[in-house]
Amino acid sequence: MDEQVDKSLNTLEILIAQLQSMWESIVGLLPSLVIAITFLIFTWIVAKFATKISDKITAKTAMRPSLRELVDTLVKIAIWTVGLLVSLTILLPDLTPGSLVAGLGIGTVAIGFAFQDIFENFLAGILIMAREKMRIGDYVKCDGIEGRVEQILLRETHIRKPSNELTIVPNSILFKNPVEILTDRQQRRHEVVVGVSYDTDLEQARSVIGEAVKSADVVDSEKPIDIFACEFNSSSVDFKLRWWSGSAQRDMHESRDLVIRSVKRALDDAGIEIPFPYMTHTFKESLAIASPGN
C-alpha cells in the first residue's frame, strides 16, 4: 500500500514539475510573442498603405484593371511573406534561414499535394491577369459557360450570364480550355440564311437582298457585305448573308432583327417568295377520281 502511495506521489511530482517547466517556458516566451504580434500588426498596416500607394501609382498608367489588381495582390503577398518570416524569427530565435528554407521545402511539397487544385487556380489567375486578352467587361464563351466577365480574382473569375445569374468559374478552367472572346474587337461579323423559291431569278434576288442589308442602320457599310448562294434546299435556294456590326451580344440581336426585317420587306415588295417547306406526294398507280354525284 505504501509503495503505491509513493508511486502516486512521484507521478504527481513529475507532472507538477513538467507543468511548472511549461509555464516557465510560456512566461519566458511572452515578451517575444508580444513583439511578434506587434510586428504582425505593423506588417498589416504597412501592407494596407503599400496597397493604396500601389493602386494610386497604377491608376495613373494605362494598365488594365485585372493587371492593377494583380500588382496590388503581389505587393501585399510580398510584404506579408517578409512580415511572417521576421515574426517567426522573433518568436523562435533558434530558427535559422537554412532550417526555415528546408522546412518550407518539405512543407511546400506536402501542401502542394494537399492543395493542388487551389494552387493550380491561383497560378492560372496570375497568368490570366497578366495576359492582355480577356478584360473585365468582355463577353466570353468557354466550356459551356457564356456571359460577361464581371471580376477576375486570383482563384476564380465571376461571369454574369445574359439572364443575370452569376457563374463563379475556377481560373484553371479558363486557362486550360479555349476561351472565345466575342467582344475582343468593337465589331464582329454576323450571318443569317435566307431562302427564295426555285422559280426566282437569283441575280435579282441577290440584288434585292444586298440593297436591303445595306439599308439597315446597324450594318457597317464600309466593310464588305457577303451574299452567297450556298445550298439547294428542299424547298428553296438558300443565300448566306454576312455583315459587320457591333460585337456586344445585344448588338448582335439588334442587327439580326433589323437585317431580317429589312430583307423580308424588300423581298415582299419585289414579289419574291420566301417559301415554306413544300411536300410532294407521288403515287405509283393512277387514282380514280370520284365524280361529285357519287
Side-chain angles (χ1 to χ4, degrees):
M1 186 70 179
D2 292 337
E3 291 181 359
Q4 291 181 353
V5 172
D6 291 339
K7 288 182 179 179
S8 299
L9 290 175
N10 290 335
T11 304
L12 183 61
E13 289 176 357
I14 293 172
L15 180 60
I16 292 173
Q18 289 179 346
L19 291 174
Q20 184 176 0
S21 176
M22 291 173 60
W23 174 253
E24 291 175 355
S25 299
I26 292 173
V27 171
L29 195 62
L30 278 178
S32 299
L33 183 61
V34 171
I35 295 173
I37 293 174
T38 304
F39 192 83
L40 285 177
I41 295 173
F42 174 74
T43 301
W44 174 74
I45 296 172
V46 172
K48 188 175 181 180
F49 278 99
T51 303
K52 288 183 178 180
I53 294 171
S54 172
D55 190 56
K56 288 182 180 179
I57 293 173
T58 55
K60 297 178 181 179
T61 65
M63 280 188 181
R64 304 184 308 278
S66 58
L67 192 56
R68 287 171 51 192
E69 187 174 347
L70 175 60
V71 171
D72 294 344
T73 304
L74 292 179
V75 169
K76 190 184 298 184
I77 290 175
I79 293 173
W80 271 106
T81 301
V82 174
L84 288 173
L85 291 178
V86 173
S87 298
L88 284 174
T89 304
I90 294 172
L91 194 61
L92 303 172
D94 296 334
L95 188 66
T96 62
S99 62
L100 183 61
V101 170
L104 286 176
I106 297 173
T108 301
V109 174
I111 294 173
F113 280 110
F115 300 97
Q116 182 178 358
D117 292 339
I118 294 176
F119 286 123
E120 184 181 22
N121 290 321
F122 181 82
L123 293 176
I126 292 177
L127 295 174
I128 289 173
M129 288 179 173
R131 69 186 182 188
E132 183 179 355
K133 300 299 182 182
M134 203 179 81
R135 303 175 297 270
I136 293 175
D138 276 335
Y139 193 92
V140 301
K141 290 182 180 180
C142 177
D143 198 30
I145 302 165
E146 178 179 347
R148 182 175 60 86
V149 178
E150 198 168 85
Q151 193 173 11
I152 302 175
L153 303 176
L154 278 177
R155 201 188 72 82
E156 62 198 22
T157 295
H158 296 177
I159 296 179
R160 182 74 61 178
K161 296 172 66 176
S163 51
N164 209 33
E165 292 96 346
L166 181 65
T167 305
I168 299 177
V169 185
N171 285 330
S172 59
I173 292 178
L174 296 174
F175 187 74
K176 293 190 295 186
N177 294 293
V179 179
E180 187 177 353
I181 305 175
L182 303 182
T183 53
D184 183 58
R185 299 289 177 88
Q186 291 185 351
Q187 288 187 331
R188 61 186 172 108
R189 193 175 62 190
H190 308 280
E191 64 180 44
V192 70
V193 175
V194 59
V196 297
S197 59
Y198 273 91
D199 59 356
T200 301
D201 184 341
L202 296 185
E203 292 301 323
Q204 180 193 4
R206 179 188 175 115
S207 176
V208 170
I209 292 171
E211 292 299 324
V213 176
K214 290 178 183 178
S215 66
D217 296 335
V218 294
V219 175
D220 187 353
S221 57
E222 295 182 358
K223 290 190 176 181
I225 297 173
D226 300 324
I227 305 172
F228 299 118
C230 60
E231 186 178 0
F232 291 104
N233 214 327
S234 57
S235 304
S236 63
V237 178
D238 291 344
F239 285 95
K240 179 177 288 187
L241 318 182
R242 303 195 302 189
W243 69 93
W244 291 84
S245 186
S247 60
Q249 194 71 357
R250 185 169 184 84
D251 293 338
M252 184 268 290
H253 289 298
E254 289 180 350
S255 66
R256 286 173 63 91
D257 171 68
L258 289 175
V259 167
I260 289 174
R261 287 194 286 118
S262 179
V263 170
K264 174 66 165 61
R265 184 169 53 250
L267 292 176
D268 288 344
D269 293 342
I272 298 175
E273 180 187 5
I274 302 177
F276 53 86
Y278 295 134
M279 183 177 293
T280 303
H281 295 282
T282 303
F283 299 94
K284 293 183 179 180
E285 299 178 358
S286 60
L287 298 178
I289 300 177
S291 61
N294 298 333

